[in-house]
Amino acid sequence: MSTSVTAAGRELIAEWRHVESCVAAWVLKLVELDRSGQWAEDGFATCTSWLVAKCDLGWSTAKEKMRVAHELERRPVIRDAFVAGLVPFTKVRELTRLKGLDDERDEKFVVVAQEHPVRVLEARVRNWNYFNGQDDKPSNLDDHYGLRHEHGFGGGLGRLVIEAPDDFISRVVSIADAYNDWLFHNGDPTTLPVDKALKEPCAKCGDDGHAAHRSLSARRADAVFDLLEEVVLMHQSKIDPEASALNVTVAYEDLIAGGGLAATEQGKTLTGEAARRLACDAGIHRIVVNGVSEILDVGRKTRTWNFAQRRVIRARHGFRCAAEGCNRRITQIHHIEWWESGGDTSVDNGVPLCAYHHHLVHEGGWTITYNPHTGVTRMEGPQGQILETEAQLLVAS
């Protein structure tokens, strides 16, 4: 870090260096905590979950801290530079993304980190990994190959990120362009292909520059979505409608009267109008609620939960495990008052638990309660541990 010509600036820089030294010591202790397994004594399934609940970190932030901590244990050159205050955490995070173990290479990149800003380091690391990984066998790329859904970026937009070999990505883009070209030649002026221009004013808006209304990236996204929907229609007999359905939670008054907001099971906020539009689709499960946590009890006096009960119980807890700090989506519905003890199979008597926390309740000596009036789920461990969460229907208020 550089210095400042002002006293106030020098003071802030000195304090920031102190903060960085504390961060370095804290991060290095994470590996010790993870290996000790002491987080399990507080009732957590992973050390990452413990960080989320006890240190009030976001899930992605906690995962990143754990990744860096374990990488530093394997990379002594980067670790020593971090501890000595030569490289801040923002740059350490990038340095630990270097593929392969090579102390000589790490030393060179530590120098780069000291001499250049983060954006330059990011580019150098990215280029190094790409250059040295371009001849890797496909099996070695599995850690990065995939598709993920990122949180919304405002205006009702979300983001799908696909990481795949360049030739595969290029093929997808070519297919989208070819599909749009076919649509254009079959009378759809809103799908203007890459190398075409409207010769006459658009029939829809009268504008001879209609291409500006839909960018190339937007037309490609439209094409990909259309083609996916086409595949679903072609293979209706093979695709499980329950597995491919979208769960949307919306307040009753918003569904009927208009306005308001709704949400998907992934936590994405929708407008009330979008929810009403989706409600027309047979592939959408509508979970209609009244107030913060009131869902119509569709229970029945049998031991087995039906599909409707499972859906509304999971919706009440944000489609995640009800235990504090747990982000797992694969859950089992647990009878709060056990069936064997006379508990019924009703919505208020069920909570979603991942396999780990379900095991804690049944075999680990933990107890669990749910208050339907306050929406609070409380787990208590045999040594007085407490995990407490509030029901969180995914309806934005």
Side-chain angles (χ1 to χ4, degrees):
M1 292 183 182
S2 62
T3 186
S4 172
V5 296
T6 68
R10 290 193 296 272
E11 183 180 358
L12 284 172
I13 291 172
E15 291 177 350
W16 182 247
R17 285 175 174 164
H18 175 68
V19 169
E20 285 289 335
S21 67
C22 293
V23 171
W26 186 86
V27 169
L28 294 179
K29 289 181 179 179
L30 281 182
V31 174
E32 299 176 17
L33 175 64
D34 192 17
R35 285 192 173 150
S36 71
Q38 294 180 39
W39 37 265
E41 297 180 19
D42 286 331
F44 293 89
T46 66
C47 187
T48 303
S49 297
W50 187 93
L51 286 174
V52 170
K54 299 302 182 183
C55 296
D56 205 18
L57 299 181
W59 187 259
S60 59
T61 301
K63 289 178 64 177
E64 181 69 355
K65 299 288 188 187
M66 290 298 304
R67 181 194 69 80
V68 172
H70 282 279
E71 278 296 308
L72 288 176
E73 188 179 41
R74 302 164 60 232
R75 316 288 275 274
V77 173
I78 300 174
R79 181 185 66 234
D80 292 346
F82 187 26
V83 172
L86 301 177
V87 183
F89 180 79
T90 52
K91 292 182 178 180
V92 168
R93 186 173 55 193
E94 298 306 318
L95 289 171
T96 53
R97 291 195 172 104
L98 287 165
K99 300 301 180 185
L101 297 176
D102 186 332
D103 289 349
E104 183 178 352
R105 186 273 322 275
D106 284 354
E107 288 176 357
K108 293 179 180 179
F109 269 89
V110 166
V111 174
V112 173
Q114 291 177 275
E115 297 178 349
H116 298 280
V118 175
R119 59 180 178 80
V120 174
L121 178 62
E122 288 176 348
R124 296 280 182 89
V125 171
R126 183 170 58 249
N127 291 342
W128 173 274
N129 288 339
Y130 184 84
F131 179 79
N132 288 276
Q134 58 185 334
D135 295 326
D136 286 354
K137 296 179 180 180
S139 60
N140 295 331
L141 301 176
D142 288 344
D143 288 344
H144 300 280
Y145 182 90
L147 180 151
R148 66 178 184 272
H149 187 183
E150 295 187 349
H151 289 289
F153 292 83
L157 295 176
R159 179 179 292 172
L160 285 177
V161 178
I162 300 176
E163 293 186 83
D166 283 337
D167 56 336
F168 179 82
I169 297 295
S170 298
R171 174 65 172 156
V172 171
V173 172
S174 297
I175 291 173
D177 288 343
Y179 176 73
N180 277 328
D181 187 69
W182 176 84
L183 287 177
F184 176 77
H185 284 98
N186 283 271
D188 189 342
T190 65
T191 54
L192 192 68
V194 178
D195 58 348
K196 298 294 190 296
L198 289 175
K199 304 302 182 181
E200 300 177 355
C202 173
K204 293 185 178 181
C205 67
D207 185 358
D208 59 2
H210 189 83
H213 290 201
R214 297 293 288 169
S215 66
L216 174 59
S217 61
R219 296 194 301 276
R220 284 172 172 168
D222 289 341
V224 171
F225 296 147
D226 282 352
L227 292 171
L228 286 174
E229 291 285 358
E230 186 72 18
V231 170
V232 173
L233 290 174
M234 291 173 61
H235 297 280
Q236 291 186 67
S237 61
K238 302 176 183 178
I239 298 178
D240 181 359
E242 180 69 24
S244 62
L246 172 66
N247 291 293
V248 177
T249 310
V250 58
Y252 176 78
E253 59 271 17
D254 292 339
L255 186 66
I256 300 301
L261 297 173
T264 68
E265 61 188 280
Q266 292 83 15
K268 311 305 176 184
T269 301
L270 304 175
T271 65
E273 186 59 40
R276 284 186 291 279
R277 170 171 53 81
L278 292 173
C280 298
D281 192 331
I284 307 298
H285 295 313
R286 285 90 66 190
I287 302 173
V288 183
V289 302
N290 181 23
V292 176
S293 59
E294 181 183 351
I295 305 176
L296 179 63
D297 187 347
V298 291
R300 58 179 179 172
K301 194 63 176 178
T302 64
R303 178 169 185 158
T304 304
W305 305 96
N306 62 36
F307 282 123
Q309 290 173 312
R310 294 174 186 272
R311 196 174 303 130
V312 294
I313 291 172
R314 288 180 172 129
R316 184 175 63 209
H317 295 276
F319 293 93
R320 290 175 173 81
C321 176
E324 180 187 9
C326 190
N327 208 39
R328 294 182 176 180
R329 292 180 176 275
I330 307 301
T331 57
Q332 303 155 358
I333 307 301
H334 167 72
H335 284 80
I336 297 170
E337 184 179 355
W338 292 9
W339 172 265
E340 294 85 350
S341 302
D344 59 1
T345 306
S346 63
V347 169
D348 285 347
N349 194 42
V351 290
L353 296 175
C354 68
Y356 176 83
H357 286 104
H358 208 176
H359 171 78
L360 284 187
V361 172
H362 279 274
E363 288 86 26
W366 286 65
T367 60
I368 186 169
T369 59
Y370 170 70
N371 187 327
H373 302 293
T374 62
V376 172
T377 300
R378 182 182 177 93
M379 293 182 63
E380 296 187 23
Q383 299 178 10
Q385 310 99 309
I386 296 177
L387 302 179
E388 194 170 86
T389 56
E390 295 183 6
Q392 185 181 359
L393 286 175
L394 295 177
V395 177
S397 57

